[in-house]
């Protein structure tokens, strides 16, 4: 278990500091959730639905419980407390009750001494399904049968849309929504469903405490919100459920919702044995939410000079079977739909619907990825229609402090969009490499498909932005606790989830800076010793943890002056400036702000495309990102490079494919993510324009590169091919054969 | 069934179910969790180990096939607290984020550099093309390999 | 489940005769995926790793006998690169370096997947599959060995022990289309050689390997002929239309490489 106290080398804010967790990780000693082993441990296994939509007539576990090595087989009847849970809306059963709404939905659990015994027992559970017609097409969802007749997302201050299966409908009306321009460009864009594809599959260990409570060691993004969902399902008080952060093998939004937490705890409490659950890769594709597939209709109206006059967009998002964070994704997609530009008028509609497709929720970029792809394609179309340089067009419309967003919010903080655009545009790509070359440096790579035949080069540009931290009235806070010990050292407690992004280093750098002390330790993350840190998501963790640790350190030093020589132990909670909800009818702000801050990223991309085979090679990417203040420049670069890679995946290869709701490529054989031969060098420039209200001027850095790289890469492919390429991932067919989604 | 194998130079035994992979045996039976369980289908390289000196995915080797053979895992590279040059280079280059791919990449890099002390960029990329990383975008991993090669 | 680990070929054949349901396992790159993902639970696994006779390759009267345990890495990097260049190119495209270190030619034949990368270059070179059992040994032309998607003529008591090829020494190449630049299963692949005649075979575009031939002077129509011989399908990896189109393009390019 992750009980080792981590210690960092000397390093303060702004310094390039090696990660404290890097040595154990390179040695194979860092303990991930799937590495946990304790004596007497059983293996849990989840029986999942093979149907996307079915009624359950009966479940018979009698054979399973009698099998060798099996200690428990549980169904919905065995859920000790609440049978429904959810990140924001309790619409999802812990175990299917009388119906299943998606492929892979958990139906029953088994605990056995060996995973093979658990698998065989799960196979022997007889579930009688009556298959139902799945709601598989998001465009028809509002006409088909209601999947959640109780409308769990109604009555929460949104516009309560009466149509079936509407999770959330939001409309932003800004200025004169009918305002006409001199030039109009239209387009319809589509984004496929992307998987976070973190390498460490969902895993955890639940250990009964012998007194009715349970300790859960799990790879998660938010310990306290896990506890808030797990405890009611177990029928236990919060104090009887202790969640501990086990090593996390990547997250990217996919660990915001629960996976094995309740299941593992149910089995552990039922058997009074520790129970470990580790999903395999196929199961992982059904074990977490995905990026929403989207269809986006756009109409951009502008003056002859290129100033946006009116942007009209309609966004449809497939939320899948359960709500997860779809309501917030729908709203974020709308808020950032037009990109980092000022338009005096706009009409933006965003709708997330329930279907029987895999549930969707948080993934890096959170709604802004889909709309950036659409709106940046529109900006290029507009530039072409007006015969204006695409970079100039973007500069002409770039948001700046003092400007107003479509939600009516005036930007009061840092927003260096023009500087970011200029910096990316100024990056010089390497000259075109002459032929002949090794095939590894040609489209098709190791496949040896071209020696240069059919290869054309294109340069693309895009810019994108999104919010930092939670928005729309969410009470967003982070706690930190600092102990100054009598031996002169300090110990920091913070439940911020280290998911690979490097927040551990941020916390220690802040503490070391504030305390002016080298000997600072970070205690293991858990719910029992410190209040919530909020989620490692929304690019918020650096800002929030830095604020909380800073405040706790300062309070601790103050306390120490009052009681010299004594141990000091203080906890502080940090909140960013409050936000308020959007008006449900107009999508306009109801206070000063719906979002607390923003960050932009611009990219220039060079790509080569084999236009005869539709294969691509991204040659080079130049990125400029508005980062506020780089706490650790090496880690910030790493976020830009990694975030760019995920956007490249969405642009070129990544899509969860479904047929009538069933996933047809739930494996790393058929769901492809970029390899070492697919990623180009990324040259990055950090724009440091401090965020006035944030600790040390920081902004989040994780999401902006993912928001923009898909758009920038496809822009380069369009430049190389002359094709419209209105759908991602771009398939070879779309390039060399044309595709159905093309509209000219 | 019982298997006997040498891991990082020492003899170990384990009782396995016949259908178990070497990866499962290493992680769950033998106390070597360094090789990681990311895809279990040979598509990510996170479980890379050396089997009789050859780089393999431990998930695709039957535990029984390793009976009587030599396995080197990531745990066998460092000399106590002294990191292997490849490990040190990964730390220094900032090539580690979540780190789940790292043990496999460290083993694959050590294998590459044992055969080719100054690989070209193309050779590095091809040699590591079987090791997926979801966090870093590979740039700092390539830096690490170049650092290790010149160390 | 039992694991049987013979030390000699004779013992392996005896065990296969006694355990006809046994799954042979050599590199494990297909078998372990089936085991790890619960796609099969054979009563018995026949581990061929310790059978020395299956390893490496030998030369006999101008012919090559490739042991069924010959790995892709050995083909890619070893002496065979000059004599079977298309097979070596194909080997370089198989999976990852780790997979190429374990995966074998014999395993590729045994699995008989339409996407098997070794099949097109071997078929173009007129390979024969050596199947052995306690009853004796026979050679089956590769084109007859595979009978359908993941089906072949191997009898339950037989093992694939080798592949025989007489290298044509004809200019030849292999190409493989995938949605990313490494580690892919073929969306479509192609091997082409230009000796006395033009010969082509493709992967992932028909249920079983097909050899397409034409006189050298019919090079112009050869791409169309190759595309027409394919019977591709739509699946998660690619469309029928794209596969046929890509075969045409690949054949044109391959001919440029081999018609020298």
């Amino acid at each position: 278990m992750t009980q080792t106290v981590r210690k960092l080398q000397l390093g303060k804010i702004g310094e390039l500091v090696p990660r404290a967790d890097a040595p154990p990780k390179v040695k194979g000693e860092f303990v991930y959730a799937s590495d946990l082993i304790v004596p007497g441990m059983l293996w849990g296994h989840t029986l999942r639905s093979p149907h996307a939509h079915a009624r359950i007539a009966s479940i018979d576990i009698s054979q399973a419980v009698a099998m060798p090595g099996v200690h428990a087989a549980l169904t919905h009847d065995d859920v000790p407390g609440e049978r429904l849970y959810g990140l924001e809306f309790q619409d999802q059963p812990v175990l299917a009750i009388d119906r299943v709404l998606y492929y892979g939905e958990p139906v029953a659990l088994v605990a056995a001494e060996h995973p093979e015994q658990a698998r065989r027992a799960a196979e022997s559970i007889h579930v009688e399904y009556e298959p139902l017609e799945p709601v598989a097409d998001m465009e028809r969802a509002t006409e088909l049968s209601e999947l959640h007749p109780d409308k769990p997302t109604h009555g929460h201050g949104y516009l309560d849309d009466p149509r079936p299966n509407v999770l959330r409908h939001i409309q932003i009306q800004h200025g004169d929504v009918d305002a006409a321009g001199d030039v109009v460009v239209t387009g319809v864009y589509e984004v496929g469903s992307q998987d976070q594809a973190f390498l460490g599959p969902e895993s955890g260990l639940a250990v009964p405490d012998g007194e009715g409570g349970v300790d859960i060691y799990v790879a998660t993004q938010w310990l306290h919100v896990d506890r808030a969902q797990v405890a009611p399902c177990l029928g236990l008080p919060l104090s009887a459920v202790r969640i501990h952060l086990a090593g996390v093998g990547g997250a990217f939004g996919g660990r915001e919702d629960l996976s094995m937490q309740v299941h593992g705890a149910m089995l552990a409490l039922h058997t009074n044995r520790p129970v470990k659950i580790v999903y395999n890769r196929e199961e992982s594709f059904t074990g977490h939410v995905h990026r929403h597939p989207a269809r986006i209709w756009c109409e951009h109206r502008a003056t002859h000079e290129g100033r946006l006059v009116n942007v009209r967009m309609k966004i449809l998002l497939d939320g899948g079977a359960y709500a997860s964070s779809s309501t917030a994704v729908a709203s974020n997609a709308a808020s950032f739909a037009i990109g980092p530009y000022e338009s005096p008028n706009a009409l933006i509609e965003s709708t997330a619907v329930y279907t029987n497709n895999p549930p969707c929720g948080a993934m890096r970029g959170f709604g802004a990825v889909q709309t950036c792809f659409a709106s940046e394609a529109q900006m290029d179309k507009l530039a072409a229609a007006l015969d204006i340089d695409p970079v100039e067009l973007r500069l002409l419309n770039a948001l700046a402090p003092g400007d107003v967003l479509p939600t009516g919010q005036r930007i009061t903080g840092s927003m260096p969009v023009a500087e970011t655009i200029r910096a990316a545009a100024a990056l010089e790509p390497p000259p075109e490499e002459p032929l002949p070359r090794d095939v590894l440096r040609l489209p098709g790579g190791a496949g040896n498909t071209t020696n240069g035949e059919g290869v054309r080069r294109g340069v693309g540009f895009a810019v994108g932005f999104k919010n930092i931290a939670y928005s729309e009235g969410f009470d967003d806070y982070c706690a930190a606790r600092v102990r100054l010990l009598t031996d002169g050292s300090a110990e920091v407690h913070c439940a911020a989830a280290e998911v690979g992004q490097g927040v551990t280093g941020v916390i220690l750098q802040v503490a070391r800076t504030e305390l002016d002390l080298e000997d600072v330790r970070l205690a293991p993350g858990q719910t029992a010793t410190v209040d919530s840190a909020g989620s490692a998501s929304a690019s918020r963790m650096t800002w929030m943890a830095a604020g909380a640790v800073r405040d706790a350190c300062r309070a601790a030093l103050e306390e120490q002056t009052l009681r010299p020589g004594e141990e000091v132990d203080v906890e502080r909670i940090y909140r960013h400036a409050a936000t308020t909800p959007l008006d449900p009818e107009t999508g306009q702000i109801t206070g000063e702000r719906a979002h607390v801050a923003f960050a932009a990223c611009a990219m220039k991309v060079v790509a080569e495309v084999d236009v005869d085979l539709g294969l691509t090679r991204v040659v080079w990417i130049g990125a400029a990102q508005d980062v506020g203040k780089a706490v650790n420049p090496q880690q910030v670069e790493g976020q830009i490079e990694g975030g760019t890679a995920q956007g490249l995946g969405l642009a070129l290869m990544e899509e969860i494919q479904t047929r009538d709701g069933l996933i047809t490529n739930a494996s790393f054989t058929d769901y492809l993510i970029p390899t070492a031969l697919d990623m180009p060098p990324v040259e990055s420039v950090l724009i440091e324009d401090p965020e006035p209200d944030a600790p040390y001027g920081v902004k989040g850095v994780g999401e902006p590169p993912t928001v923009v790289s898909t758009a920038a890469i496809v822009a380069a492919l369009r430049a190389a091919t002359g094709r419209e390429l209105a759908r991602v991932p771009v398939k070879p067919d779309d390039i060399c054969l044309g595709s159905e989604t093309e509209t000219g | 069934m019982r298997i006997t194998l040498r891991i990082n130079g020492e003899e170990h035994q384990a009782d396995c179910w016949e259908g178990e992979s070497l990866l499962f045996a290493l992680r769950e039976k033998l106390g070597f969790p360094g090789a990681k369980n990311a895809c279990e289908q040979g598509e990510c390289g996170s479980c890379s180990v050396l089997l009789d000196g050859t780089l393999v995915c431990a998930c695709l080797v039957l535990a029984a096939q390793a009976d009587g053979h030599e396995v080197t895992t990531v745990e066998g590279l460092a000399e106590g607290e002294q990191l292997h040059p490849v490990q040190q280079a990964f730390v220094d280059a900032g090539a580690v984020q979540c780190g789940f791919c790292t043990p496999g990449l460290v083993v694959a890099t050590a294998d590459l550099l044992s055969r080719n002390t100054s690989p070209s960029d193309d050779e590095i990329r091809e040699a590591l093309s079987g090791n997926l990383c979801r966090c870093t975008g590979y740039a700092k991993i390539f830096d690490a390999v170049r650092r290790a090669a010149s160390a | 489940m039992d694991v049987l680990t013979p030390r000699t070929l004779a013992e392996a054949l005896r065990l296969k005769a006694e355990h006809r349901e046994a799954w042979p396992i050599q590199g494990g790159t297909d078998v372990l995926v089936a085991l790890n993902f619960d796609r099969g639970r054979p009563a018995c696994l026949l581990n061929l790793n310790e059978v020395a006779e299956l390893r490496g390759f030998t030369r006999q009267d101008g012919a090559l006998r490739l042991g069924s345990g010959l790995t892709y890495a050995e083909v890619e990097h070893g002496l065979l690169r000059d004599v079977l260049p298309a097979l070596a190119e194909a080997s370089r495209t198989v999976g990852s370096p780790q997979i190429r270190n374990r995966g074998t030619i014999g395993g590729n034949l045994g699995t008989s997947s339409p996407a098997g990368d070794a099949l097109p270059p071997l078929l173009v070179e007129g390979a024969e599959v050596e199947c052995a059992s306690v009853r004796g040994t026979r050679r089956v032309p590769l084109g007859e060995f595979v009978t359908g998607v993941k089906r072949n003529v191997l009898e339950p008591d037989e093992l694939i022990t080798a592949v025989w090829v007489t290298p044509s020494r004809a200019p030849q190449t292999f190409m493989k289309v995938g949605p990313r630049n490494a580690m892919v299963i073929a969306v479509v692949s192609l091997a082409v050689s230009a000796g006395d005649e033009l010969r082509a075979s493709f992967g992932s575009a028909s249920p079983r390997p097909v050899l397409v031939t034409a006189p050298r002077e019919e090079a112009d129509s050869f791409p169309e002929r190759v595309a027409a011989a394919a019977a591709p399908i739509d699946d998660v990896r690619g469309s029928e239309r794209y596969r046929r189109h890509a075969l045409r393009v690949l054949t044109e390019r391959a001919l440029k490489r081999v018609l020298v």
Side-chain angles (χ1 to χ4, degrees):
Chain A
M1 285 168 221
T2 49
Q3 295 296 343
T4 47
V5 173
R6 296 176 287 234
K7 190 180 165 185
L8 194 79
Q9 299 163 30
L10 178 65
K12 296 181 180 177
I13 285 178
E15 293 175 6
L16 195 155
V17 191
R19 296 173 65 113
D21 58 3
K25 283 176 174 175
V26 298
K27 290 169 85 175
E29 290 174 356
F30 186 83
V31 184
Y32 293 89
S34 56
D35 298 338
L36 299 169
I37 293 182
V38 290
M41 177 182 94
L42 300 174
W43 286 83
H45 184 83
T46 313
L47 178 69
R48 294 174 181 274
S49 167
H51 302 283
H53 193 196
R55 231 185 310 278
I56 296 178
S58 64
I59 305 175
D60 180 3
I61 59 161
S62 57
Q63 213 181 323
V65 290
M67 289 175 69
V70 173
H71 290 247
L74 307 179
T75 69
H76 65 90
D77 278 336
D78 303 297
V79 178
E82 297 287 337
R83 291 189 191 193
L84 300 179
Y85 75 97
L87 197 55
E88 296 181 35
F89 308 96
Q90 284 67 53
D91 67 345
Q92 186 158 6
V94 171
L95 291 168
I97 299 167
D98 53 2
R99 56 180 193 155
V100 286
L101 292 184
Y102 74 97
Y103 169 78
E105 181 160 0
V107 175
L109 305 169
V110 175
E113 286 160 24
H114 190 283
E116 176 66 3
Q117 293 169 326
R119 286 188 290 262
R120 296 284 68 82
E123 187 184 49
S124 78
I125 293 175
H126 184 71
V127 185
E128 199 182 323
Y129 294 101
E130 294 164 7
L132 299 167
E133 188 66 30
V135 177
D137 178 357
M138 64 173 162
E139 283 205 59
R140 293 189 56 221
T142 55
E143 304 154 15
L144 298 173
S145 65
E146 184 102 64
L147 297 174
H148 294 273
D150 52 333
K151 294 190 179 288
T153 60
H154 277 208
H156 288 86
Y158 308 142
L159 180 69
D160 289 340
D161 193 312
R163 293 173 297 171
N165 297 319
V166 176
L167 248 160
R168 184 171 181 186
H169 176 74
I170 175 169
Q171 194 174 78
I172 294 177
Q173 300 165 8
H174 177 52
D176 172 9
V177 300
D178 295 316
D182 303 326
V183 189
V184 178
V185 292
T186 60
V188 183
Y189 302 90
E190 255 186 61
V191 177
S193 183
Q194 188 178 21
D195 189 62
Q196 292 81 357
F198 39 68
L199 288 191
E202 292 88 341
S203 310
L205 175 72
V207 184
D209 66 8
E211 295 167 5
V214 64
D215 287 87
I216 303 170
Y217 300 83
V218 65
T220 181
Q221 288 179 240
W222 188 354
L223 293 162
H224 288 76
V225 86
D226 281 7
R227 184 180 63 172
Q229 295 172 87
V230 171
C233 295
L234 297 176
L236 291 173
L238 288 179
S239 59
V241 177
R242 290 160 302 272
I243 315 256
H244 307 257
L245 187 67
V248 183
F252 318 117
R255 298 190 207 268
E256 286 210 344
D257 298 78
L258 295 181
S259 58
M260 57 63 64
Q261 287 90 328
V262 182
H263 298 161
M266 279 173 62
L267 289 168
L269 291 168
H270 189 90
T271 60
N272 205 28
R273 297 266 290 262
V275 174
K276 171 170 168 173
I277 296 181
V278 178
Y279 291 179
N280 70 23
R281 182 51 55 184
E282 184 177 337
E283 192 174 15
S284 180
F285 275 94
T286 62
H288 59 263
V289 297
H290 312 291
R291 186 184 307 290
H292 291 72
R295 196 163 298 150
I296 303 172
W297 293 261
C298 305
E299 183 182 322
H300 282 54
R301 302 177 184 175
T303 66
H304 286 304
E305 293 73 37
R307 291 293 307 220
L308 289 173
V309 173
N310 189 0
V311 181
R312 297 162 65 97
M313 292 173 71
K314 199 172 97 181
I315 303 154
L316 181 61
L317 300 159
D318 187 343
Y322 294 103
S324 180
S325 48
S326 281
T327 55
V329 172
S331 169
N332 241 45
S335 275
F336 303 102
I338 76 170
Y341 306 116
E342 192 180 46
S343 176
N345 310 293
L347 176 62
I348 300 156
E349 269 183 59
S350 176
T351 310
V353 293
Y354 282 121
T355 65
N356 294 114
N357 289 321
C360 290
M363 184 177 173
R364 196 175 195 169
F366 206 76
V369 170
Q370 294 92 329
T371 51
C372 181
F373 171 66
S375 55
E376 284 300 276
Q378 285 288 101
M379 292 304 276
D380 281 343
K381 266 193 191 178
L382 192 57
L386 292 164
D387 197 21
I388 295 179
D389 177 79
V391 172
E392 285 307 314
L393 181 76
R394 287 171 169 86
L395 284 171
L396 193 62
N397 291 286
L399 267 182
D403 287 350
V404 175
L405 297 167
T407 54
Q409 179 173 345
R410 187 169 296 279
I411 292 177
T412 55
S414 157
M415 191 73 275
V417 177
E419 293 86 331
T420 306
I421 292 173
R422 283 196 195 96
L427 291 170
E428 268 306 312
E432 188 168 352
E433 189 193 353
L435 297 167
R437 301 178 208 158
D438 191 297
V439 292
L440 297 183
R441 297 195 306 282
L442 283 163
N448 191 30
T449 48
T450 181
N451 292 331
E453 303 99 318
V455 176
R456 291 194 210 148
R457 182 178 165 104
V459 181
F461 193 89
V463 55
F465 83 138
K466 85 170 285 290
N467 54 326
I468 303 298
Y470 285 154
S471 303
E472 291 186 64
F474 194 95
D475 181 21
D476 194 6
Y477 69 92
C478 176
R481 185 177 144 206
V482 170
R483 294 177 64 207
L484 302 179
L485 306 176
T486 50
D487 65 2
S489 70
E491 184 178 273
V492 181
H493 293 255
C494 181
E498 173 61 67
V499 296
Q501 85 282 41
V503 72
T504 303
V506 171
I507 289 168
L508 288 169
Q509 280 176 276
V510 169
R512 217 162 259 138
T513 302
E514 291 296 331
L515 301 173
D516 195 22
L517 184 69
E518 187 183 343
D519 196 359
V520 180
R521 294 176 304 281
L522 177 62
Q526 53 176 310
T527 53
T529 56
V530 62
D531 202 339
S532 175
S535 178
S537 62
S539 298
R540 66 182 281 286
M541 206 68 260
T542 292
W543 174 333
M544 301 301 287
V549 174
R550 177 197 63 186
D551 291 356
C553 285
R554 290 179 184 176
L557 289 174
E558 216 174 284
E559 183 87 5
Q560 196 178 42
T561 59
L562 302 176
R563 296 189 288 122
E566 288 178 43
E567 184 181 316
V568 169
D569 187 344
V570 299
E571 182 165 347
R572 286 291 178 275
I573 285 183
Y574 171 84
R575 284 183 167 79
H576 61 66
T579 61
T580 53
L582 295 172
D583 182 278
E585 300 290 333
T586 64
Q588 295 298 296
I589 48 168
T590 53
E592 265 183 54
R593 65 183 77 79
H595 302 288
V596 71
F598 312 91
C601 182
M603 280 185 197
K604 187 195 272 188
V605 174
V606 178
E608 290 180 341
V609 183
D610 178 340
V611 295
D612 299 328
L613 287 174
L615 304 179
T616 58
R617 170 189 174 234
V618 179
V619 177
W620 173 89
I621 295 179
Q625 187 165 325
D626 151 32
V627 302
K629 163 78 183 166
V631 177
N632 183 337
Q634 188 187 57
Q635 295 295 311
V636 171
E637 278 177 21
Q639 286 296 307
I640 295 173
E641 290 155 0
T644 300
Q646 290 184 356
L648 182 142
L650 178 61
L652 300 179
M653 60 188 84
E654 294 186 31
E655 182 175 12
I656 295 176
Q657 300 184 50
T658 55
R659 194 180 50 239
D660 296 330
L662 310 183
I663 301 180
T664 55
N665 62 338
S667 71
F668 275 179
T669 308
D670 286 313
Y671 183 92
L672 302 181
I673 68 174
T675 70
L677 282 171
D678 296 290
M679 263 309 282
V682 177
E683 195 174 329
S684 47
V685 178
L686 310 185
I687 308 293
E688 293 198 288
D689 177 47
E691 180 64 38
D693 290 335
Y696 316 105
V698 301
K699 284 187 182 185
V701 296
E703 291 172 288
T706 305
V707 169
V708 74
S709 70
T710 304
I713 289 163
V714 178
L717 303 189
R718 290 189 194 107
T721 62
R723 295 270 184 186
E724 187 177 15
L725 306 180
R727 185 182 197 283
V728 284
V730 175
K731 290 186 183 142
D733 306 47
D734 304 336
I735 293 171
C736 65
L737 297 174
S739 80
E740 289 166 15
T741 55
E742 297 218 4
T743 53
Chain B
M1 65 178 296
R2 167 152 291 203
I3 62 167
T4 305
L5 67 172
R6 290 184 77 78
I7 304 171
N8 303 329
E10 285 182 24
E11 190 169 298
H12 291 265
Q13 291 195 326
D15 289 311
C16 295
W17 167 60
E18 288 75 3
E20 274 171 23
S21 67
L22 172 61
L23 177 66
F24 187 88
L26 285 171
R27 292 175 49 76
E28 307 291 345
K29 303 280 177 71
L30 291 154
F32 293 90
K36 292 289 173 261
N37 57 311
C39 81
E40 295 175 88
Q41 54 196 159
E43 294 281 354
C44 78
S46 302
C47 64
S48 297
V49 298
L50 301 176
L51 177 64
D52 297 329
T54 300
L55 186 72
V56 303
C57 289
C59 72
L60 297 187
V61 177
L62 196 65
Q65 291 183 303
D67 186 33
H69 292 267
E70 296 243 6
V71 175
T72 305
T73 72
V74 69
E75 289 98 335
L77 296 182
E79 304 270 349
E81 286 303 297
Q82 181 67 39
L83 296 180
H84 184 280
V86 170
Q87 294 172 321
Q88 188 63 52
F90 270 67
V91 173
D92 295 340
V96 179
Q97 288 189 30
C98 94
F100 209 76
C101 68
T102 304
L105 273 155
V106 165
V107 173
T109 302
D111 174 62
L112 167 68
L113 297 181
S114 73
R115 290 178 285 109
N116 181 350
T117 52
S118 53
S120 68
D121 285 357
D122 282 345
E123 286 168 336
I124 293 171
R125 291 177 343 127
E126 189 170 24
L128 300 184
S129 63
N131 290 78
L132 297 178
C133 172
R134 190 56 161 169
C135 297
T136 68
Y138 303 102
K140 302 221 178 310
I141 291 169
F142 300 150
D143 285 350
V145 180
R146 287 186 286 259
R147 275 177 195 241
S150 59
Chain C
M1 198 182 294
D2 283 325
V3 181
L4 306 171
T5 303
R7 305 277 150 179
T8 64
L9 181 58
E11 188 188 357
L13 296 177
R14 181 178 57 74
L15 288 170
K16 189 68 174 111
E18 289 167 9
H19 303 270
R20 298 159 76 95
E21 74 295 350
W23 288 13
I25 172 169
Q26 180 66 271
T29 55
D30 288 329
V31 172
L32 263 289
V33 175
L35 292 177
N36 292 346
F37 288 87
D38 213 354
R39 289 178 196 141
R41 285 288 176 264
C44 184
L45 289 162
L46 185 60
N47 169 26
L48 300 173
N49 276 190
E50 309 299 331
V51 180
E53 294 104 307
L54 299 177
R55 289 196 212 122
F57 66 95
T58 53
R59 292 170 202 269
Q60 285 180 28
D61 306 328
L64 286 168
R65 181 183 184 276
L66 312 180
S68 59
L70 186 71
T71 65
Y72 297 109
E74 287 166 334
V75 178
E76 182 188 355
H77 300 296
L79 300 167
L80 291 172
R81 197 162 50 171
D82 296 331
V83 269
L84 295 172
L87 184 63
E89 282 174 337
S91 297
R92 188 187 182 189
T93 73
V94 173
S96 63
Q98 289 88 331
I99 297 291
R100 305 202 278 276
N101 281 341
R102 284 290 287 173
T104 63
I105 304 290
N108 210 226
L109 292 166
T111 298
S112 299
S113 161
D117 292 318
L119 274 53
L122 284 173
L123 189 60
V124 162
E125 285 291 89
E128 292 184 337
V129 183
E130 182 187 286
C131 310
S133 70
V134 289
R135 296 175 289 114
T137 296
R138 59 177 178 141
R139 285 201 211 170
V140 185
L142 176 54
E144 294 165 27
F145 177 79
V146 181
T147 55
V149 176
K150 300 194 174 180
R151 286 187 309 162
N152 56 48
V153 300
L154 205 63
E155 296 291 337
D157 65 342
E158 283 182 317
L159 292 172
I160 299 168
T161 44
V163 181
W164 288 84
V165 200
T166 303
S168 67
R169 303 280 178 172
Q172 54 191 268
T173 191
F174 176 86
M175 307 157 114
K176 170 170 157 181
V177 171
R180 69 181 170 193
N181 290 336
M183 206 162 46
V184 287
I185 293 182
V187 171
V188 65
S189 68
L190 176 76
V192 169
S193 76
D196 296 339
E197 61 176 357
L198 302 175
R199 295 164 71 87
S201 180
F202 40 76
S204 296
S206 59
R208 47 188 294 253
V210 176
L211 181 67
V212 187
T213 61
R216 287 177 68 99
E217 49 275 19
E218 290 177 20
D220 287 350
S221 61
F222 198 55
E224 199 49 54
R225 188 180 292 203
V226 170
I233 58 166
D234 286 318
D235 64 17
V236 291
R237 293 177 194 140
S239 67
E240 178 268 337
R241 192 171 158 230
Y242 175 78
R243 287 177 158 126
R244 217 183 274 281
H245 164 83
L247 273 181
R248 216 174 279 129
V249 174
L250 291 175
T251 309
E252 281 167 21
R253 291 182 183 177
L255 289 175
K256 276 211 292 187
R257 292 184 194 177
V258 299
L259 284 173
V260 283

